[in-house]
Amino acid sequence: MENGISELKKKLCYTSVHIAAEMPEDIRDAEEFCEDYKEFLDLSKTERETVATAEQIAQEAGFVPFDRSGKYKAGQKVYFVNREKSLILVTFGKKPLAEGVRFVIAHGDCPRLDLKASPVYEKDGTAFLKTHYYGGIRKYQWTTVPLSLHGVVILKNGKKVSVCIGEKDTDPRFVISDLLPHLSMEQNERKLSEGVKGEELNIVFGNIPFGDEDTKDPVKLCVLNILYDRYGITEKDLLTAELEAVPAVKACDIGLDRSMIGGYGQDDRSCVFASVSAQVMLKKPEHTAVTVIADKEEIGSCGNTGMESLFLYDFMQDLCETQNAKVRDVYRNSICLSADVGGAFDPTFRSAFEKNNSAFLGHGPVIQKYTGARGKSGASDASAETFAGIVSVLEENGVIWQTGELGKVDGGGGGTVAKYMANMDVDTIDIGVPVLSMHAPFEVTSKLDVYHTHKAVKAFLES
């Protein structure tokens, strides 16, 4: 009788499983895969760097720039770069475009601190940089963290200078100070969300004066002089610059068992790497495979490099013209994976989650039928047919997966790029790596989840 009950429970009930328990042979493969992933994270601290690194990976795999006048056969690989901030990779399939494509869309931008247009100032003998945070951050997390500066500056003569300070072992780092506990009684009375205010996210930039005692702002002058000597940058050049402060940390193994990865920007560069690495492995897929790295997702997918723009739609029109296909037919017959991370259940803060509908580290990529906030506001809600179809593909290819929501119904929530693809009449569903401490300067993922997300994307693109 007991065996009968056990078999019945196994048949009728569902519980997500840990990949290591179900497929222990994948532990070694995941470890090897994530060595490359950690290197990718270290090279890709900004959206520009993410696109540049992915472009190099694609070129090494045989991708060539897309030619609107070209005629392409199954297995040929092309790419398109949009303003150095978004990227499209295409592997042509055996079936004509009119029968639909397989889209995978991840985003390369991450929460960070952008420098204000006029960032450098001196106060009481110390030089600082003013910042404006980008995306959803918990501001107190960004104090006392080593920071590096990345970006581009256009000089007066038109030359574009790339800046990266703080990533080499010999480089200086930067930091935002916080109050010592001995003097923080007043600060302690603030709400956590205001423990550090936006205008207090000022980066310590220098401390040595330059010039004589009559020089105004001598420490500011010192740091500006260093910028000019090293890069030819003046303060006026900073007005039009694009500079970002990001954590100066290297991706590393987490846990005594080395089962996890810690690093900056895993939302959403874990999905970027999983998607790009799957795309470059394709030979001659059934349907044409299109992988997109989009920008601006963290602030609403706006701008001409985000999914709210027409850059992908226009590219697809150009692609369709190579086969005299109608873009509306292609979209209508296509399927899209919105490859974005999900929040992993955190036992320390379990009250924020609804455990039965949460994603767990090590249980595989999380498929989210819908996202959004509270009453699914701002969500894309996939159909049962789309969800079941994706699950079928994954299970046929040995991918362990799970489903979940981003916390309790009234606890908050968030969106992805899924709604922008759904608006194009494309069947779309969210899938991604579960992340602990999402949007923090140092996030944590499971190696097995990253690897199985890669396996999931590859299986989908080959379907």
Side-chain angles (χ1 to χ4, degrees):
M1 181 66 177
E2 186 175 334
N3 286 339
I5 294 295
S6 296
E7 288 300 315
L8 187 63
K9 287 185 67 176
K10 186 176 180 180
K11 178 181 178 180
L12 299 181
C13 299
Y14 167 77
T15 305
S16 67
V17 297
H18 200 294
I19 298 171
E22 194 78 4
M23 303 178 70
E25 65 275 12
D26 275 11
I27 296 175
R28 178 62 63 85
D29 291 339
E31 289 175 345
E32 293 178 358
F33 180 79
C34 286
E35 287 304 304
D36 289 335
Y37 170 52
K38 287 186 292 185
E39 183 179 355
F40 178 82
L41 284 178
D42 291 341
L43 292 171
S44 309
K45 292 289 186 76
T46 70
E47 68 279 18
R48 285 178 184 266
E49 292 171 357
T50 301
V51 166
T53 305
E55 181 184 5
Q56 183 177 348
I57 293 171
Q59 289 173 340
E60 291 172 355
F63 283 75
V64 298
F66 172 66
D67 181 358
R68 293 175 58 182
S69 63
K71 298 296 180 183
Y72 297 98
K73 299 178 181 179
Q76 288 187 278
K77 299 172 178 290
V78 299
Y79 71 91
F80 171 76
V81 178
N82 178 24
R83 296 172 172 86
E84 300 183 13
K85 295 183 180 182
S86 47
L87 172 71
I88 303 174
L89 303 176
V90 179
T91 301
F92 286 89
K94 299 174 186 176
K95 295 183 178 181
L97 288 170
E99 294 190 29
V101 306
R102 297 291 183 261
F103 285 106
V104 176
I105 304 187
H107 67 89
D109 63 312
C110 299
R112 61 180 189 255
L113 302 177
D114 289 340
L115 297 196
K116 289 189 176 184
S118 183
V120 187
Y121 74 100
E122 179 177 335
K123 190 170 186 179
D124 300 324
T126 299
F128 294 91
L129 296 175
K130 297 293 294 185
T131 70
H132 192 131
Y133 60 91
Y134 172 99
I137 69 169
R138 305 189 75 182
K139 295 184 281 290
Y140 74 89
Q141 293 179 334
W142 287 75
T143 62
T144 71
V145 173
L147 301 171
S148 56
L149 283 179
H150 298 241
V152 296
V153 181
I154 310 300
L155 304 184
K156 185 178 180 179
N157 61 10
K159 179 182 178 182
K160 181 162 67 175
V161 176
S162 294
V163 174
C164 181
I165 310 173
E167 296 297 336
K168 297 178 182 178
D169 291 340
T170 54
D171 281 351
R173 270 74 168 176
F174 310 98
V175 72
I176 297 168
S177 62
D178 196 3
L179 266 177
L180 61 162
H182 312 69
L183 301 177
S184 62
M185 289 182 62
E186 183 178 335
Q187 184 190 39
N188 291 343
E189 297 302 313
R190 298 179 183 179
K191 295 191 301 182
L192 183 61
S193 61
E194 298 176 355
V196 175
K197 300 177 182 180
E199 293 297 342
E200 294 171 340
L201 292 173
N202 303 315
I203 298 172
V204 177
F205 201 48
N207 185 243
I208 293 178
F210 185 84
D212 56 35
E213 59 184 16
D214 295 325
T215 302
K216 183 181 179 181
D217 295 335
V219 181
K220 174 183 175 180
L221 185 60
C222 179
V223 294
L224 288 175
N225 187 57
I226 294 171
L227 282 176
Y228 185 76
D229 285 345
R230 180 178 294 189
Y231 298 104
I233 295 171
T234 67
E235 186 173 18
K236 187 176 181 180
D237 295 327
L238 294 176
L239 299 178
T240 60
E242 190 173 282
L243 292 170
E244 305 171 13
V246 299
V249 295
K250 301 291 186 184
C252 63
D253 291 345
I254 295 292
L256 193 59
D257 55 3
R258 295 182 177 271
S259 60
M260 296 164 284
I261 294 171
Y264 165 68
Q266 297 198 74
D267 172 15
D268 186 38
R269 291 172 190 143
S270 58
C271 293
V272 169
F273 185 75
S275 301
V276 171
S277 60
Q279 171 73 247
V280 299
M281 293 176 68
L282 300 178
K283 301 301 181 184
K284 291 183 179 181
E286 289 298 310
H287 295 84
T288 294
V290 179
T291 297
V292 181
I293 302 174
D295 185 27
K296 298 292 189 290
E297 192 276 344
E298 296 295 357
I299 57 172
S301 295
C302 53
N304 55 13
T305 54
M307 288 300 296
E308 198 174 45
S309 79
L310 294 176
F311 86 88
L312 177 59
Y313 184 87
D314 289 344
F315 175 84
M316 289 304 299
Q317 281 199 316
D318 291 339
L319 199 69
C320 287
E321 288 176 5
T322 67
Q323 294 186 12
N324 295 317
K326 294 181 178 179
V327 70
R328 64 173 179 268
D329 293 334
V330 175
Y331 275 124
R332 187 176 297 124
N333 294 321
S334 296
I335 307 173
C336 175
L337 293 186
S338 171
D340 204 347
V341 301
F345 181 81
D346 189 336
T348 301
F349 302 101
R350 60 190 305 125
S351 63
F353 299 85
E354 199 265 285
K355 188 175 179 181
N356 287 348
N357 287 284
S358 294
F360 292 81
L361 289 183
H363 290 221
V366 54
I367 305 177
Q368 299 181 85
K369 184 178 184 296
Y370 50 82
T371 54
R374 298 174 178 84
K376 300 185 180 180
S377 175
S380 170
D381 197 341
S383 68
E385 292 87 349
T386 301
F387 199 161
I390 294 299
V391 167
S392 178
V393 170
L394 300 193
E395 293 188 343
E396 287 173 5
N397 288 273
V399 177
I400 303 295
W401 63 277
Q402 59 183 318
T403 188
E405 295 186 15
L406 188 59
K408 289 184 176 179
V409 173
D410 287 329
T416 68
V417 301
K419 64 181 180 181
Y420 300 103
M421 290 305 293
N423 287 345
M424 296 293 185
D425 197 19
V426 178
D427 287 326
T428 306
I429 195 165
D430 282 282
I431 183 172
V433 178
V435 177
L436 274 180
S437 304
M438 189 193 298
H439 282 210
F442 193 79
E443 301 166 315
V444 177
T445 59
S446 160
K447 293 180 179 180
L448 286 164
D449 291 337
V450 175
Y451 179 57
H452 269 248
T453 301
H454 159 80
K455 290 177 63 174
V457 172
K458 185 170 182 290
F460 167 73
L461 290 177
E462 292 176 337
S463 67

